[in-house]
Amino acid sequence: MRLPDLPDLPVRAALPEIVETLRDRGAAVLVAPPGTGKTTLVPLALGAASAGRVVVAEPRRLAARAAAARMAALLGEPVGATVGYSVRGERRVGASTRIEVVTSGLLVRRLQGDPELAGVDAVVLDECHERHLDADLLLALLLDARAGLRPELRVLATSATVAAERLAALLGEGEAAAPVLEVRGRTHPVDIAYVPPLPRERAEAQVARVTRAALAAADGDVLVFLPGAAEIRRTADLLAGADADIVPLHGRLAAAAQDTALRPGVRRRIVLSTAVAESSLTVPGVRAVVDSGLARVPRVDHRRGLSGLATVRVSAAVADQRAGRAGREAPGWAWRCWPEYEHTTLPAYPDPEIRTADLTRLALELASWGIPDGHGLAWWDAPPSGGLAAGREVLRALGAVDADGAITDRGRRMATVGLHPRLARALLDGAALVGARRAAEVVAILDEDTAAPSADLAAALRILRRERPARWQREVDRLTRLLEHSGAPATATTARSDATGTKAADMRARAVDDPAHPAGRRAHPVDDPAVVVALAHPERLARRRSAGSATYLTAGGTAMVLPPGSGLGDGEWLAVAVATRDPGRSEGRIRLAAMADADLARQAAPALLTTADEVDWVDGEVVARRVERIGAITLSARPLRNPDRNLLAAAVRRGLREHGVALLHWDADARSLRQRLDFLHRTLGAPWPAVDDDSLLDDLDRWLGPELDTARRRADLERVDAGQALRRLLPWPAAARFDDLAPERLEVPSGSAIRLDYSADPPVLAVKVQEIFGWTEPPRLADGRVPILLHLLSPAQRPVAVTADLPSFWRTGWPQVRADLRGRYPKHAWPEDPTTVPAHRGTARRAARG
């Protein structure tokens, strides 16, 4: 092929060096910012210098189509001649095609079928800096194939950022890194303004407000970055009436609509775009950029069983790329919809998808490659072991891999579908239940849920069948053909999960275990989309928590909220197809679902069905029931007349731990016993036991075992004599001295036996002062270690003095107390020296008679 006259883009001057370096070294990294021509001019130059084909891998379908169209236009040819493209569901190549642009995911599949990439001389991995999951996997597999089968295969990795050291090391040989070539862009200055949101202003309203300001302040077109298609639709509504054409740009648009955004308009335009316009595509005529500061990225929540796209703040590198689009053709302006001080808090670069996304599909590709654990491959960032293990568990439950992780025939069939393994399962197994085309229709919606015009999957399906959008129709046709060419769908025969991880992870793994099509045992409506959804996500079968509530509980244990106006408000059961969870919220939000019922739930997810006798402490009482559940959802519960003795004992113990030992019967003697034991433990330590609440609850069987073994309900606990049980903790033989060390009562000089109060520290003896006349030194406790604190009382039991030093009190305190008592109680004897008279209990006359 001959090179045409190429446009004067920055990379043109570097083309000879790029071609020569790649020919001499076999691999290289090209660092060039957007707009330099790296995506279109470099493949043409490599094609002209190669005898074989050049394959260009793009991260997005839209970018693949646009790059092929641009290169074909430079050659003056239609797409499909010298330059073609292949994306999922669409292929435009011919016998003379020398340059083929494909998506990263499609090239992974092609590499799986032909690891040598026969007939290919060079592979260009474009936009590697975006760190998409398929692109990282492709790089690892391509390097492995090149090392073992095709050492002469040339590989060029391009990046829009200068952080290319790791990429160069991966592409190098031995200790030598691959050469890094850098092309600088021709950029014009861009003035940047920060516009924070107004109080309680929604993101779309803020973006629309700033966009109107940009339209008034700047010349040319305005490029607006938003996180997704839904935000684009809402922002377009808010911009209605603006003096410009509103042009959306995102990957779910029809090809004609995408092409419109990539061509100059007849008048000023406001192009509302997702991240596709950051680096992969060139939008002409842009002089102003409005950046929402948000992006949609794949995230997985293993604990809640949710995976999908999450809205996050962009990185500083992405914000700079977005702003740079305003300076491609002339000086420009960029408005950032966040306060300037927040800019320094942005992460430097976006997280690689391999760290945050669901890795089930990657696990299937690794199994297809013959390296289930991924060890031995050269990764930019190796997949996290936890995420990869979770993906492999799902594959085992699906029957896609065996117990050793090796791919099965069923797994190979699933891999050829080109979908997430859950959706591949729903397609293959659902075809036997609802028919091939109907299964394909539902799966095509689940794969690209933004195609659904309604949260009600059945309603969305009716609309799509009526309107027949080309993109959805094309995917339905592809999936239907795939099913027809492979014959009648086979029965799903899977191995049960042997997961040893968390309960939630095991539940999600078991959820997809559906041997022998149990759903087929019920006469489902032929056109029931819930059947297909349940096959893909049985753990998302959900039941309304209460009548009239918008909150549902899924079989996986996650609470999900149904938004108002969904059209699904009357459904007690839902098969949830798509759900998201906003950061900081515990419950998910249902975005797409189909009406279901209990029968479908039972039959579509038998691996989640359990029937168990449950005895538990509920709301202050023992409750024994036989419970049928599907995952976390209770289907039925019946009283259990004769519960298992062990379950009953465990429930009683849980109740006691919940309410504490105060639930038992503690009379005065029991309380005193506990206080005396506590006193000795604090004073003497071992062998005297700790009897605080935590210690008693930690050692229930030792002191309360017989009572707990016979208790069946709360009332039985409330009748337990805590004092009698507590005596089991007395340590023998030391217990023989218990009453000497901590007597319950103390005999005073009057002959009365007064109870000591061990709840105080030191213990307190509250006694009438007349009853200790003659005492010069009261006894001490715990072998003389602890004094007694005397609370001296009047004849009317009112306190008159407190002392721990009785001899000092008789000398210094008693004269004042005596004077007061003589005035108030004249009939009693109040001697000047109480140590010389006998103690007594009554009046002076009684004392005299004594």
Side-chain angles (χ1 to χ4, degrees):
M1 79 178 254
R2 292 178 59 251
L3 273 180
D5 291 334
L6 299 177
D8 186 20
L9 294 172
V11 80
R12 188 176 70 174
L15 290 177
E17 181 186 7
I18 295 170
V19 171
E20 182 180 357
T21 301
L22 204 59
R23 182 177 61 244
D24 294 343
R25 298 290 297 274
V29 178
L30 174 61
V31 176
T36 53
K38 67 179 184 299
T39 299
T40 52
L41 301 194
V42 171
L44 289 174
L46 293 176
S50 303
R53 284 186 295 124
V54 175
V55 176
V56 183
E58 292 288 342
R60 299 180 178 89
R61 281 179 274 183
L62 189 150
R65 289 183 54 258
R70 177 59 178 158
M71 284 187 278
L74 291 174
L75 294 174
E77 298 176 354
V79 174
T82 303
V83 180
Y85 69 85
S86 296
V87 299
R88 195 179 74 192
E90 187 178 3
R91 189 163 188 254
R92 294 183 63 182
V93 297
S96 61
T97 298
R98 297 285 308 284
I99 300 170
E100 184 181 8
V101 190
V102 300
T103 56
S104 302
L106 189 142
L107 189 52
V108 166
R109 290 275 77 239
R110 188 173 293 179
L111 197 61
Q112 293 278 17
D114 178 15
E116 295 186 11
L117 291 181
V120 176
D121 277 1
V123 175
V124 178
L125 305 175
D126 200 19
E127 311 294 0
C128 286
H129 64 280
E130 294 190 6
R131 302 301 310 276
H132 290 283
L133 183 59
D134 281 344
D136 276 14
L137 173 62
L138 173 60
L139 175 64
L141 299 186
L142 190 63
L143 292 176
D144 194 46
R146 184 170 179 262
L149 299 172
R150 288 288 309 277
E152 78 282 4
L153 181 67
R154 291 172 291 159
V155 179
L156 177 67
T158 78
S159 173
T161 63
V162 295
E165 295 82 2
R166 173 62 178 160
L167 193 53
L170 288 171
L171 290 171
E173 295 182 4
E175 297 296 323
V180 178
L181 308 174
E182 188 170 352
V183 174
R184 298 187 180 277
R186 297 175 193 152
T187 58
H188 299 274
V190 176
D191 291 333
I192 295 177
Y194 294 86
V195 186
L198 300 175
R200 295 184 295 278
E201 186 176 36
R202 289 178 59 90
E204 293 92 340
Q206 179 196 9
V207 170
R209 171 172 60 87
V210 176
T211 300
R212 290 183 183 275
L215 196 65
D219 298 324
D221 294 346
V222 181
L223 176 60
V224 182
F225 285 101
L226 290 155
E231 290 82 359
I232 286 176
R233 288 193 296 269
R234 290 194 290 268
T235 304
D237 292 340
L238 293 172
L239 288 171
D243 188 21
D245 291 334
I246 310 297
V247 182
L249 178 60
H250 55 82
R252 307 295 170 84
L253 288 173
Q258 294 173 349
D259 293 342
T260 298
L262 301 179
R263 290 192 299 264
V266 296
R267 66 179 194 135
R268 292 189 72 184
R269 304 182 304 161
I270 299 173
V271 180
L272 305 178
S273 177
T274 59
V276 296
E278 287 172 1
S279 57
S280 303
L281 302 173
T282 297
V283 181
V286 173
R287 297 290 186 276
V289 164
V290 175
D291 186 359
S292 69
L294 302 173
R296 196 146 289 149
V297 296
R299 287 285 189 272
V300 63
D301 184 341
H302 291 294
R303 185 164 68 89
R304 295 179 177 85
L306 293 177
S307 61
L309 297 176
T311 302
V312 300
R313 296 196 333 170
V314 298
S315 66
V318 168
D320 289 343
Q321 280 189 11
R322 291 180 173 186
R325 307 304 269 178
R328 286 280 307 279
E329 299 176 357
W333 297 263
W335 282 265
R336 289 171 170 168
C337 297
W338 60 89
E340 186 172 4
Y341 69 83
E342 282 189 5
H343 191 73
T344 58
T345 68
L346 297 178
Y349 295 98
D351 281 333
E353 285 185 3
I354 201 168
R355 293 181 187 170
T356 60
D358 176 10
L359 300 186
T360 306
R361 186 170 178 176
L362 179 137
L364 182 59
E365 294 293 355
L366 291 178
S368 297
W369 194 251
I371 309 179
D373 57 9
H375 291 166
L377 296 178
W379 295 98
W380 193 331
D381 285 287
S385 58
L388 188 58
R392 292 169 68 186
E393 280 302 323
V394 173
L395 294 180
R396 266 194 287 270
L398 288 170
V401 299
D402 62 21
D404 297 324
I407 194 167
T408 62
D409 290 341
R410 177 175 169 81
R412 290 189 182 89
R413 190 165 177 236
M414 291 168 63
T416 62
V417 176
L419 299 172
H420 188 284
R422 286 183 178 274
L423 298 185
R425 181 271 179 97
L427 178 72
L428 297 175
D429 294 352
L433 302 176
V434 300
R437 186 162 190 85
R438 291 188 178 92
E441 289 175 335
V442 176
V443 168
I445 298 176
L446 302 188
D447 186 42
E448 296 196 11
D449 56 274
T450 55
S454 167
D456 181 349
L457 180 57
L461 200 53
R462 289 192 295 271
I463 294 171
L464 290 170
R465 286 169 177 166
R466 183 174 64 249
E467 297 181 355
R468 302 175 66 83
R471 185 188 184 93
W472 176 74
Q473 190 68 42
R474 191 163 53 243
E475 179 66 357
V476 171
D477 291 342
R478 182 186 78 86
L479 296 176
T480 304
R481 287 195 302 271
L482 187 150
L483 287 169
E484 292 171 347
H485 292 162
S486 60
T491 295
T493 55
T494 67
R496 286 191 178 273
S497 167
D498 58 352
T500 58
T502 65
K503 180 179 179 182
D506 184 56
M507 180 178 293
R508 290 194 297 276
R510 288 188 295 115
V512 292
D513 177 17
D514 184 13
H517 284 316
R521 293 196 295 266
R522 181 169 80 98
H524 290 290
V526 176
D527 198 11
D528 188 354
V531 175
V532 182
V533 174
L535 288 172
H537 299 288
E539 79 288 354
R540 293 188 194 168
L541 286 160
R543 187 181 191 181
R544 190 196 299 275
R545 279 194 154 162
S546 59
S549 172
T551 302
Y552 286 74
L553 178 67
T554 69
T558 299
M560 293 189 181
V561 177
L562 186 66
S566 64
L568 295 164
D570 295 333
E572 180 186 0
W573 284 85
L574 295 177
V576 179
V578 180
T580 57
R581 185 180 68 88
D582 295 331
R585 299 186 67 89
S586 58
E587 75 275 2
R589 183 177 179 86
I590 298 171
R591 292 177 49 206
L592 186 65
M595 293 275 200
D597 56 39
D599 286 342
L600 185 146
R602 282 187 173 93
Q603 296 170 22
L608 287 180
L609 274 175
T610 59
T611 300
D613 291 346
E614 297 183 0
V615 185
D616 209 344
W617 187 273
V618 180
D619 296 332
E621 187 53 272
V622 175
V623 176
R625 305 176 299 173
R626 178 158 291 166
V627 181
E628 182 188 18
R629 284 193 174 89
I630 178 165
I633 301 172
T634 299
L635 296 173
S636 65
R638 298 187 302 276
L640 198 59
R641 292 184 178 277
N642 296 303
D644 180 89
R645 184 70 254 170
N646 293 328
L647 295 178
L648 198 59
V652 169
R653 284 164 170 78
R654 282 193 294 273
L656 193 56
R657 289 189 175 95
E658 178 182 329
H659 290 273
V661 293
L663 194 60
L664 308 176
H665 175 62
W666 293 88
D667 59 17
D669 290 339
R671 290 193 297 271
S672 175
L673 174 63
R674 184 180 181 188
Q675 291 164 2
R676 292 162 66 199
L677 285 170
D678 180 62
F679 164 72
L680 290 180
H681 175 75
R682 287 186 286 107
T683 304
L684 301 179
W688 301 100
V691 289
D692 58 279
D693 281 7
D694 289 342
S695 298
L696 290 178
L697 291 172
D698 287 343
D699 204 12
L700 286 173
D701 287 335
R702 180 182 170 199
W703 67 283
L704 201 61
E707 289 82 359
L708 294 180
D709 287 342
T710 58
R712 297 178 61 89
R713 56 185 62 84
R714 181 189 182 118
D716 295 338
L717 293 177
E718 292 172 339
R719 286 192 292 268
V720 171
D721 184 342
Q724 179 181 342
L726 205 56
R727 287 191 173 275
R728 298 190 182 107
L729 293 179
L730 287 172
W732 294 95
R737 298 193 63 226
F738 181 44
D739 289 334
D740 295 334
L741 296 171
E744 180 180 10
R745 293 176 179 273
L746 195 64
E747 185 173 344
V748 296
S750 69
S752 298
I754 310 296
R755 187 189 294 271
L756 282 156
D757 180 4
Y758 286 90
S759 66
D761 188 15
V764 169
L765 182 70
V767 60
K768 291 179 183 180
V769 68
Q770 304 106 305
E771 297 200 51
I772 63 167
F773 287 171
W775 241 2
T776 56
E777 186 69 48
R780 297 169 69 89
L781 305 175
D783 278 340
R785 288 178 174 82
V786 180
I788 295 170
L789 184 65
L790 293 170
H791 284 201
L792 302 178
L793 308 176
S794 72
Q797 303 280 359
R798 294 189 177 93
V800 295
V802 175
T803 182
D805 186 352
L806 188 59
S808 175
F809 171 75
W810 290 141
R811 292 192 307 271
T812 61
W814 172 247
Q816 178 61 43
V817 172
R818 175 176 179 263
D820 181 59
L821 291 174
R822 288 181 69 191
R824 286 193 287 157
Y825 304 99
K827 293 181 179 181
H828 292 256
W830 304 111
E832 290 186 7
D833 184 1
T835 63
T836 62
V837 298
H840 61 274
R841 301 173 186 170
T843 64
R845 289 189 296 273
R846 184 180 300 175
R849 285 196 299 272

